[in-house]
Amino acid sequence: MSVETLREVLLWCAIVNYGVLLVWFAAYTAAHHQVQQLWARWFHLSPAQLDALCFGSMAAYKLAVLVFNVVPWLALGIVGAT
């Protein structure tokens, strides 16, 4: 696999992962009350705890996308430019 192909793969992985993140955020904000009712029944979480858990999970997912997709894409771009 060439460096350019790998860069394209990493770029598309990042785009797809950010799309997943946007859908996750939109679904959570659109169905916030329903999600709270369901999770409160299963896990006895307060609304503040659920919000912290959900947005903390989104932050961890975004960080993982940055570390495993965006940073290698940038690094390969720097290496390929020299």
Side-chain angles (χ1 to χ4, degrees):
M1 180 181 292
S2 71
V3 171
E4 192 56 39
T5 304
L6 185 57
R7 283 195 78 225
E8 287 184 34
V9 168
L10 288 169
L11 178 62
W12 279 106
C13 285
I15 291 169
V16 168
N17 279 309
Y18 275 114
V20 168
L21 190 62
L22 286 171
V23 168
W24 182 2
F25 176 76
Y28 184 72
T29 55
H32 187 260
H33 184 69
Q34 291 84 359
V35 171
Q36 276 186 346
Q37 286 179 336
L38 181 67
W39 279 62
R41 186 176 28 196
W42 287 349
F43 301 109
H44 305 292
L45 295 173
S46 70
Q49 288 173 322
L50 180 61
D51 287 343
L53 177 68
C54 192
F55 289 111
S57 299
M58 286 183 206
Y61 188 81
K62 183 167 52 170
L63 184 62
V65 171
L66 281 170
V67 169
F68 294 114
N69 294 138
V70 177
V71 171
W73 176 77
L74 286 172
L76 287 173
I78 292 168
V79 169
T82 57

